Amino acid sequence: MLRKENVHFRKTNKNTVVKRVREVYLRNDIPCLSTQCPKEPPCHEAVKVESSLLSAEQNDYLIPDYSVALRYVELLEQEELTNIIFTETILQRLQSEDKSRTYKSLRQVAKDPRRRSVVFSNEHCKETNVLREPEESIEHRDWRALVQTAAWYRRHLHGSANIILLSEEFKQEDVLRIDDTTGITVMSLKEYLTKFWPKTAVLHELLASLKEAILEEDLENQTQSSTTSKKTSGGTGYQEYKPLSELEAGVKSERFFQGVMRVRANHRDQAFIRGDANIGEIVIVGSEHRNRAVHGDVVVVELLSKSSWVAPSTHISYNPEEVHAAAEDEEESSSRVRTREVKPTGRVVGIMSRNWQPYVATLQEGSEQEAGSFHLVLPLNPIIPKIRIRHHDAKVLANQRIVVRIDSWPVNSQYPNGHYVRSIGPAHDLDTEISAILIEHGISVSQTTQGFSEGSLKEMPVNTPERPWIADPAELSRRRDLRNHTIFSIDPPNCQDIDDAISIKEIGNGQIEFGVHIADVSYFVRENSLTDLEARARGTTVYLSDRRFDMLPKVLSEQLCSLRHHVDRYAMSVMWTLDSEANVLTTWYGRSVIRSACEMEYEQAQGLLNGKDVVPGLDAKTCKQLKPSVVLLAKTMRKVRARRMAKGGLELESSEVKFKFKEEDGGISDILPKQPLEVHQIIEEAMVMANGYVAQRIYQGFRESAMLRHHPPPIESHFKMLLRAAESKGFSIDTTSNLALANSLRECAAKSENDIEFIKLLKTMATMAMSEASYISSGSFEVSKYAHYGLALDFYTHFTSPIRRYADLVVHRQLMSCLLGSTPQTTDNSSDFLKNGLKMEQVAGHLNYKNRESKLAQKDSTELFQTLYVLQKTRNPAAIENGGDDPEAEDLPFMETGIVSEIRENGFFVFVPRFGIRGPVYLKEKSGEISIPLSALKQSGAAAAAAGGNDHLVTISGCEMDTDLMTQISVKVPPQALGSHAASLPNISTLVQFRLFDKVKVALRLKKSLAHRHTIYMTLIGLDHQSTATASSGTGKAGSGRGATPIKGHSGRLFKKAGEQLKQDEVKRIAQQDPSLAPLQQRDLIQGIQEGQQQQKKGGKNSRKQQQAADPEEVYYQSRPESSLYNLIESFDRFRIVESNESPS
């Protein structure tokens, strides 16, 4: 190791000269990080490094200079560009010039193993270190360093790779100062793309767009330099940000507060951050106080005086785009409990990091007619401000969805400056809108195009009609042969990617052999192979309403890994020996070979379970073979499920729907709500059981890096809406533990048997209160935090779906590593990746992000098709006959019954269970006028409107309104407001009350927009008196719903007799009150109650202490990610409930 000193002299502001000495330690063992390294062993093996390697498949290595790295980073981020060498010279300069965003982007490219790109420490390599010469500029010194690095790579690799220096400032002749420049080529980006990517239009369009953005930035910098003062705000109200040192000191001293800024989707003039535990939420009102910050930026906020503090709005926004966006807002849930509590306000004084992303946008209407090259575009997400872009021909962009990016936001500019990236198609075209959804949620280009690299496809086994895949005899000999077992799968109709299958049989002595068999993806996808790296980057298969985007190539996902019937398939199996009460006696894990007897659909299995001897789609012989297994499976899983429910397992609710499409034109023929079947719960319980046992097993071998899935307890304040809603119906909910919550919900269900919708809504509210389940590395958390709150399990993971979830593939590898060890704790044969807790934590974070965005994309897709369905139903044939939207042709009425799901100050939200649609009903107009349709004042008004009456079209204005947030809203009609209607309708009601859970008749309508997606809203027709009366007859009145739960009511007696034999009739009486407890025997019920009570005593106290001490930022990330009651992200694990044709299985 050689030490060198760089000496610099600098004059200070006080005219003194300071000598600065920088020591650099040079090494001769810096690895080249190339698979073409000629040394034995390769230099990257001699020095242990954590990096991907430059590929040998391409002979060209790219070295970008500072001009390219700084201004064309988006081009370097494109997946097509690989084998990039990022030099230490360029990265250090980006850091020194405070270009942290660009620096992080380049490091992220190097971290992506698919890109085969590296960071080379040329400044510490003895042969590539270059000293700055006297009077030499930094630019020329850095260029010499890059040329020296290029020459070293040519020599080190013996000329096996061509080196391309990418530069927008230097030319080929600028490398002549180096003695040997053979194989070193200098290219501009345009020259490089023209030669190597001539047909990739996306790259050429992006380059042209970036050049325009750079030109604009240069012009703007010249303009700013000619002004006398840069401190003025130019009339925008914005202020310069405070220096970084002042921001950091202010945050440390608690004078400032730092956090992620979230714009409130339902009211765009309000944003907020999470302050500390004392200050809570800090509201930022207006664009001036937001000071150029964009949703998702990490900002520093200064508190304003108390006189300016405000209460968050309790109104429904009158902007339909805001209402739609509020359904997607992760943080809107934090204010779901609408109160008028005053909150502190602040203003942004600095930005710690930007969250600028690619945005889908549309040109502002009329801009294509304006002269000039600068235009405003409206992002599809309304919480993002308008963006000013430069484009030479705006007419080309008219009525198009385009992708733009923000480049800067000067202090004197009302809007941020950005640039056009590419066009994705006409607005409101189905494929365009699907592409927009995928871009908004960060789904990669390779996944959306279903593309896998040529190298990845070369790794795939061959399976063609001419050369069908055949199981390897040597591999078969290493596996447990289960082909003589009766094994079957149960999935949605037309399922192609079948992850799991089940076997069950009685083996004598009252014992049962039960097995869960999962596709052995890890056999075909080797760790760190190109296919593995691509699957890791994708994270999950993305399921939309009419299509899916796979995580793995189809030869695996639909063929060789899919557990199709009548063919041999490799599997990872978990097999248990159970006693007659479904208690586990022995457990076996291992690799197996299976041959499925049948690919059953849910409805077919349910038919056999219901006693049918033959079901549609299956022959009599197959039904006779499978029926005993299905019945035994149901009997066994009922006992397993009942035991888990008695310990606190939750049964919550979502509002999933599936779409039926017309074969002739692809239109939507119907929307069908999920029809829950018992077989859903049976398969779910089998998968939960397998996941729980595998979690325990991998934790034994990987104490510091097991891939687990945990579900933390909810934050107590998130239950406020659920508690108020239950109170409005006369029920009380105990939320001190999962057991208490489960018992309370069961009590409500038992006493509201005739009001199914109320129970569904109540369970949905409980779901919305949940924290989000997530993947963790076991070494990053205490053992006490591994538990899954919703499932009432101490250990849990994802093992059962490796075809569509990368986490499951990791778990498979960890399980196999445990099984190959000599003891349960031995994992010496495992890779460094599986044992590295830090790496596992990073992968878990990446998979959490991918899983969350996939769920949001799926939800957006559902809303898109719901909108298309309403458009079909309301479109007037006269408009179609005229060849388009005829403004004279009014929309047709589309009436449905809905349920009041949330009360606001100016109206309420209604949920239509039939279609899974939620929308606002306004009683107070934007002008402040309160009105109600005439049909709502009549007892028979809703029925008359549905039968063709016009009373719903007559509006009564001048009404008065009183609101009790979260429970009811009342509209009083003064006699003078009725006018002529008072004489003709003497029995008309002048007071109408809308309570939470009331059934109402509404008309579904569509608000059309060019810049944003069409949105559904509703107009009121009236109370659905017939439905309300029917439901109320079975619902507990005030006070009647406060009785004890089946377990809770008898808990005192049970615990006193813990060591005694309970009477048979008493246990039966408890079980009869809750059917889910019926399969339990006396001793199981008593044991479950005792264990649950112990957990309740321990967990209740601990969770309260933890919640009180929770860090505000941690609380934010635990927040429920949805504001709507019916647009849910999976906050805990529910399997096989979505029944769309391409749903996860």
Side-chain angles (χ1 to χ4, degrees):
M1 184 178 294
L2 176 66
R3 188 183 74 174
K4 297 181 66 175
E5 290 185 353
N6 291 337
V7 181
H8 300 278
F9 294 92
R10 183 175 64 88
K11 180 182 285 189
T12 67
N13 295 332
K14 298 181 180 180
N15 286 329
T16 58
V17 177
V18 176
K19 178 181 178 181
R20 301 181 66 182
V21 179
R22 177 170 172 260
E23 291 185 348
V24 180
Y25 292 86
L26 302 181
R27 304 173 59 123
N28 55 15
D29 60 349
I30 300 295
C32 66
L33 302 175
S34 172
T35 55
Q36 301 188 59
C37 182
K39 290 188 175 183
E40 287 294 339
C43 56
H44 59 266
E45 293 184 5
V47 180
K48 192 173 182 180
V49 292
E50 300 287 347
S51 172
S52 57
L53 300 176
L54 298 164
S55 174
E57 295 180 5
Q58 296 182 4
N59 289 329
D60 300 304
Y61 292 172
L62 307 179
I63 302 180
D65 77 343
Y66 187 72
S67 64
V68 172
L70 177 64
R71 294 188 146 184
Y72 296 90
V73 62
E74 288 174 53
L75 201 58
L76 298 177
E77 289 177 324
Q78 299 305 302
E79 295 178 358
E80 289 83 355
L81 273 61
T82 58
N83 279 357
I84 306 174
I85 302 172
F86 297 110
T87 60
E88 190 178 17
T89 299
I90 301 305
L91 295 178
Q92 284 183 350
R93 186 171 171 188
L94 289 172
Q95 282 186 303
S96 66
E97 297 186 7
D98 197 21
K99 305 295 182 182
S100 60
R101 180 166 166 259
T102 303
Y103 171 83
K104 291 177 181 178
S105 297
L106 298 182
R107 296 288 303 196
Q108 198 61 39
V109 172
K111 287 181 180 179
D112 187 345
R114 300 172 300 164
R115 303 293 301 278
R116 296 293 189 174
S117 300
V118 301
V119 174
F120 179 64
S121 302
N122 66 306
E123 295 292 346
H124 289 81
C125 178
K126 181 179 179 181
E127 297 182 60
T128 58
N129 180 270
V130 172
L131 293 177
R132 183 176 175 184
E133 297 177 352
E135 306 300 325
E136 184 181 28
S137 68
I138 294 177
E139 290 75 14
H140 279 84
R141 181 266 166 198
D142 289 351
W143 173 251
R144 285 197 303 114
L146 298 186
V147 174
Q148 187 74 24
T149 299
W152 179 83
Y153 263 97
R154 284 287 297 177
R155 293 193 304 271
H156 181 79
L157 300 179
H158 297 171
S160 59
N162 298 318
I163 310 300
I164 299 176
L165 285 165
L166 297 176
S167 177
E168 293 295 302
E169 295 181 353
F170 296 95
K171 306 296 181 183
Q172 185 68 43
E173 53 267 23
D174 293 317
V175 304
L176 298 179
R177 297 174 62 180
I178 304 297
D179 294 337
D180 183 11
T181 58
T182 306
I184 301 177
T185 305
V186 180
M187 287 185 174
S188 67
L189 287 170
K190 185 175 182 180
E191 292 170 340
Y192 171 75
L193 295 182
T194 301
K195 181 176 181 179
F196 293 96
W197 304 96
K199 297 182 180 180
T200 310
V202 172
L203 296 179
H204 290 272
E205 290 178 4
L206 178 57
L207 177 62
S209 175
L210 289 173
K211 284 186 176 295
E212 287 190 355
I214 290 169
L215 176 62
E216 178 191 345
E217 185 179 351
D218 290 342
L219 291 174
E220 185 176 317
N221 290 337
Q222 292 177 11
T223 303
Q224 285 188 353
S225 62
S226 64
T227 59
T228 57
S229 174
K230 292 177 62 179
K231 294 292 182 180
T232 60
S233 64
T236 63
Y238 301 140
Q239 300 295 323
E240 291 282 0
Y241 297 136
K242 296 184 181 298
L244 180 62
S245 58
E246 185 177 347
L247 295 176
E248 292 176 341
V251 171
K252 189 174 182 180
S253 65
E254 298 185 353
R255 184 165 65 95
F256 299 151
F257 298 89
Q258 179 177 322
V260 178
M261 191 191 79
R262 303 284 169 181
V263 179
R264 229 181 268 289
N266 63 324
H267 289 281
R268 283 177 286 176
D269 65 327
Q270 289 189 1
F272 65 93
I273 69 166
R274 299 287 185 183
D276 58 24
N278 296 323
I279 202 70
E281 183 181 285
I282 302 174
V283 182
I284 305 166
V285 181
S287 59
E288 181 178 338
H289 287 153
R290 205 177 301 168
N291 197 14
R292 298 169 288 145
V294 176
H295 178 84
D297 288 349
V298 179
V299 302
V300 177
V301 171
E302 179 182 42
L303 286 182
L304 299 177
S305 62
K306 287 190 176 182
S307 60
S308 63
W309 289 12
V310 298
S313 175
T314 56
H315 288 71
I316 306 173
S317 172
Y318 293 100
N319 187 324
E321 287 83 17
E322 290 185 358
V323 175
H324 171 78
E328 304 182 6
D329 184 16
E330 295 184 355
E331 277 307 302
E332 185 62 19
S333 57
S334 65
S335 58
R336 187 180 299 118
V337 181
R338 303 288 164 182
T339 66
R340 299 181 179 87
E341 178 187 354
V342 174
K343 294 183 177 293
T345 58
R347 65 184 183 95
V348 174
V349 295
I351 306 262
M352 302 304 288
S353 66
R354 289 288 193 182
N355 188 46
W356 294 342
Q357 302 170 352
Y359 300 110
V360 178
T362 309
L363 193 68
Q364 184 168 278
E365 289 188 73
S367 292
E368 69 275 9
Q369 305 297 331
E370 299 176 0
S373 59
F374 293 101
H375 308 278
L376 286 177
V377 296
L378 282 71
L380 197 58
N381 188 343
I383 64 177
I384 305 300
K386 295 179 182 179
I387 302 171
R388 190 171 68 111
I389 65 168
R390 180 183 179 124
H391 199 277
H392 61 280
D393 188 3
K395 293 182 180 180
V396 177
L397 306 182
N399 301 323
Q400 295 281 309
R401 295 278 192 244
I402 62 175
V403 181
V404 300
R405 295 194 72 159
I406 297 176
D407 299 316
S408 62
W409 196 338
V411 71
N412 59 353
S413 174
Q414 183 179 0
Y415 303 111
N417 297 324
H419 63 270
Y420 164 84
V421 177
R422 61 187 175 95
S423 175
I424 57 177
H428 299 300
D429 173 79
L430 178 59
D431 288 335
T432 299
E433 297 303 326
I434 292 293
S435 296
I437 288 172
L438 298 171
I439 291 169
E440 285 186 309
H441 296 293
I443 312 299
S444 66
V445 174
S446 62
Q447 187 165 4
T448 57
T449 59
Q450 300 289 299
F452 285 84
S453 68
E454 184 178 347
S456 174
L457 295 178
K458 287 180 180 178
E459 298 172 348
M460 294 297 98
V462 176
N463 186 43
T464 63
E466 300 78 20
R467 295 175 57 193
W469 177 84
I470 301 174
D472 180 12
E475 180 64 25
L476 291 177
S477 66
R478 293 189 287 266
R479 293 174 176 265
R480 182 172 176 177
D481 194 340
L482 301 175
R483 287 176 288 185
N484 61 343
H485 285 54
T486 300
I487 297 176
F488 54 91
S489 59
I490 304 178
D491 291 282
N494 303 318
C495 183
Q496 301 298 313
D497 49 348
I498 303 175
D499 290 282
D500 55 84
I502 286 174
S503 64
I504 189 167
K505 65 179 180 180
E506 294 177 334
I507 56 177
N509 299 324
Q511 296 181 352
I512 298 170
E513 182 187 73
F514 171 51
V516 173
H517 314 280
I518 308 300
D520 190 0
V521 178
S522 62
Y523 173 81
F524 295 97
V525 181
R526 303 298 182 182
E527 187 177 328
N528 288 327
S529 64
L530 294 177
T531 306
D532 182 53
L533 298 177
E534 180 65 32
R536 187 187 304 173
R538 297 184 178 194
T540 180
T541 293
V542 179
Y543 292 89
L544 303 186
S545 298
D546 67 333
R547 65 196 76 183
R548 77 167 191 258
F549 300 95
D550 291 325
M551 184 185 79
L552 295 172
K554 289 189 182 295
V555 68
L556 296 183
S557 63
E558 294 186 3
Q559 299 176 33
L560 302 185
C561 289
S562 187
L563 304 183
R564 314 310 296 256
H565 60 183
H566 308 319
V567 292
D568 292 348
R569 287 291 181 260
Y570 295 155
M572 289 282 287
S573 298
V574 184
M575 301 188 72
W576 298 271
T577 302
L578 310 175
D579 65 15
S580 59
E581 298 305 322
N583 296 301
V584 175
L585 303 177
T586 64
T587 307
W588 178 86
Y589 310 86
R591 276 181 157 156
S592 62
V593 57
I594 67 171
R595 181 185 287 260
S596 175
C598 181
E599 301 172 20
M600 266 191 293
E601 297 176 1
Y602 283 127
E603 289 75 11
Q604 293 172 337
Q606 188 65 50
L608 295 177
L609 185 58
N610 292 342
K612 294 182 179 180
D613 293 325
V614 180
V615 294
L618 297 180
D619 57 63
K621 181 180 178 181
T622 303
C623 292
K624 184 177 181 180
Q625 178 190 11
L626 296 179
K627 183 177 179 180
S629 296
V630 173
V631 172
L632 180 59
L633 174 66
K635 180 181 177 182
T636 305
M637 289 299 102
R638 286 170 189 153
K639 295 175 181 178
V640 174
R641 185 179 184 85
R643 191 176 293 117
R644 185 170 59 81
M645 291 295 152
K647 294 180 180 179
L650 297 174
E651 292 185 276
L652 301 185
E653 193 70 37
S654 67
S655 59
E656 295 152 356
V657 294
K658 65 178 180 180
F659 298 88
K660 291 186 66 176
F661 296 94
K662 302 174 184 176
E663 293 184 2
E664 58 273 15
D665 60 1
I668 305 169
S669 61
D670 201 0
I671 301 179
L672 302 176
K674 177 194 70 180
Q675 297 298 328
L677 304 172
E678 186 188 8
V679 72
H680 289 146
Q681 290 187 348
I682 290 169
I683 297 300
E684 173 188 337
E685 196 62 37
M687 299 303 112
V688 168
M689 183 175 176
N691 287 330
Y693 271 81
V694 170
Q696 296 179 55
R697 184 64 185 85
I698 63 173
Y699 177 68
Q700 291 178 0
F702 294 89
R703 298 280 181 175
E704 299 299 323
S705 61
M707 174 71 77
L708 302 179
R709 187 164 178 83
H710 84 142
H711 182 211
I715 298 171
E716 191 66 28
S717 61
H718 292 176
F719 283 118
K720 287 183 180 179
M721 186 172 186
L722 171 66
L723 298 177
R724 289 288 300 273
E727 287 175 4
S728 70
K729 286 285 189 177
F731 295 105
S732 63
I733 303 289
D734 186 350
T735 61
T736 54
S737 70
N738 54 359
L739 176 62
L741 176 60
N743 289 339
S744 295
L745 292 175
R746 280 195 282 264
E747 174 197 359
C748 295
K751 296 193 175 184
S752 306
E753 294 179 354
N754 296 330
D755 196 351
I756 298 175
E757 297 301 336
F758 162 67
I759 295 304
K760 286 185 176 180
L761 286 175
L762 205 64
K763 288 184 176 181
T764 301
M765 289 181 181
T767 303
M768 293 306 304
M770 296 294 110
S771 302
E772 187 179 10
S774 60
Y775 298 111
I776 62 169
S777 172
S778 58
S780 302
F781 288 80
E782 298 175 2
V783 178
S784 60
K785 294 186 179 181
Y786 293 170
H788 197 291
Y789 177 90
L791 297 175
L793 294 174
D794 293 332
F795 288 87
Y796 194 68
T797 191
H798 274 169
F799 163 76
T800 53
S801 297
I803 292 178
R804 62 183 179 91
R805 290 189 306 229
Y806 188 79
D808 302 56
L809 184 53
V810 173
V811 169
H812 276 230
R813 290 171 179 155
Q814 289 186 330
L815 178 60
M816 277 308 303
S817 182
C818 292
L819 299 179
L820 293 174
S822 57
T823 66
Q825 289 74 32
T826 302
T827 56
D828 294 340
N829 59 303
S830 62
S831 67
D832 290 339
F833 171 74
L834 296 180
K835 294 188 292 187
N836 190 316
L838 179 60
K839 283 187 177 180
M840 200 59 62
E841 182 180 7
Q842 293 171 347
V843 171
H846 166 73
L847 296 179
N848 288 331
Y849 168 76
K850 285 296 183 180
N851 184 60
R852 186 181 303 115
E853 293 303 315
S854 172
K855 295 292 181 183
L856 288 172
Q858 184 178 20
K859 184 189 71 64
D860 281 353
S861 169
T862 298
E863 291 181 353
L864 172 64
F865 280 89
Q866 287 169 333
T867 301
L868 292 176
Y869 184 72
V870 173
L871 178 63
Q872 288 179 190
K873 288 291 187 179
T874 59
R875 196 172 189 186
N876 196 317
I880 302 175
E881 292 173 2
N882 294 333
D885 292 328
D886 185 352
E888 300 298 325
E890 295 184 2
D891 289 344
L892 297 177
F894 182 30
M895 300 181 186
E896 279 294 335
T897 298
I899 305 167
V900 177
S901 63
E902 188 174 350
I903 303 291
R904 296 288 188 90
E905 197 135 336
N906 57 338
F908 49 83
F909 282 98
V910 171
F911 175 62
V912 180
R914 170 69 176 81
F915 304 119
I917 294 174
R918 178 182 185 260
V921 170
Y922 299 97
L923 298 178
K924 179 188 289 186
E925 300 299 325
K926 193 173 183 179
S927 62
E929 184 176 19
I930 300 170
S931 60
I932 192 169
L934 180 61
S935 57
L937 304 179
K938 298 181 178 180
Q939 291 292 327
S940 59
N950 293 322
D951 286 343
H952 66 288
L953 302 177
V954 180
T955 301
I956 306 298
S957 303
C959 303
E960 301 171 357
M961 189 168 66
D962 181 58
T963 305
D964 179 8
L965 291 182
M966 297 190 295
T967 57
Q968 70 176 24
I969 186 169
S970 303
V971 179
K972 183 178 181 181
V973 183
Q976 62 272 19
L978 291 172
S980 60
H981 301 292
S984 59
L985 301 169
N987 296 325
I988 198 168
S989 173
T990 58
L991 178 65
V992 184
Q993 290 184 322
F994 300 94
R995 298 181 179 87
L996 201 61
F997 306 118
D998 275 354
K999 291 180 173 62
V1000 293
K1001 208 77 175 179
V1002 293
L1004 276 64
R1005 300 185 181 278
L1006 210 60
K1007 175 66 176 178
K1008 298 180 181 179
S1009 169
L1010 173 64
H1012 302 98
R1013 296 191 181 100
H1014 300 329
T1015 53
I1016 298 171
Y1017 71 102
M1018 303 178 190
T1019 54
L1020 179 66
I1021 295 174
L1023 285 166
D1024 191 344
H1025 295 285
Q1026 184 176 359
S1027 299
T1028 303
T1030 303
S1032 62
S1033 64
T1035 305
K1037 299 180 181 179
S1040 64
R1042 301 178 187 272
T1045 62
I1047 291 179
K1048 186 177 175 181
H1050 297 269
S1051 59
R1053 226 174 314 159
L1054 287 171
F1055 296 125
K1056 287 180 182 178
K1057 299 182 179 182
E1060 301 175 14
Q1061 179 70 32
L1062 290 180
K1063 293 181 180 180
Q1064 183 74 19
D1065 57 343
E1066 186 172 10
V1067 176
K1068 285 184 177 179
R1069 190 160 53 251
I1070 298 172
Q1072 286 171 357
Q1073 294 182 54
D1074 187 349
S1076 67
L1077 301 177
L1080 287 172
Q1081 297 296 313
Q1082 285 187 45
R1083 58 184 175 83
D1084 294 315
L1085 182 59
I1086 299 169
Q1087 181 182 357
I1089 295 171
Q1090 291 172 338
E1091 292 177 0
Q1093 181 70 2
Q1094 292 173 0
Q1095 291 180 6
Q1096 179 174 341
K1097 289 181 178 179
K1098 296 178 180 178
K1101 296 179 180 179
N1102 293 338
S1103 61
R1104 288 183 177 177
K1105 292 179 180 178
Q1106 292 171 5
Q1107 290 165 11
Q1108 291 173 357
D1111 178 73
E1113 285 298 316
E1114 183 179 347
V1115 168
Y1116 160 69
Y1117 284 111
Q1118 290 180 349
S1119 297
R1120 295 87 64 231
E1122 291 292 345
S1123 64
S1124 163
L1125 290 177
Y1126 302 97
N1127 297 319
L1128 305 179
I1129 295 176
E1130 175 188 60
S1131 34
F1132 67 97
D1133 305 272
R1134 294 181 63 83
F1135 300 89
R1136 303 169 170 274
I1137 299 302
V1138 183
E1139 293 187 357
S1140 62
N1141 287 345
E1142 298 296 346
S1143 68
S1145 59

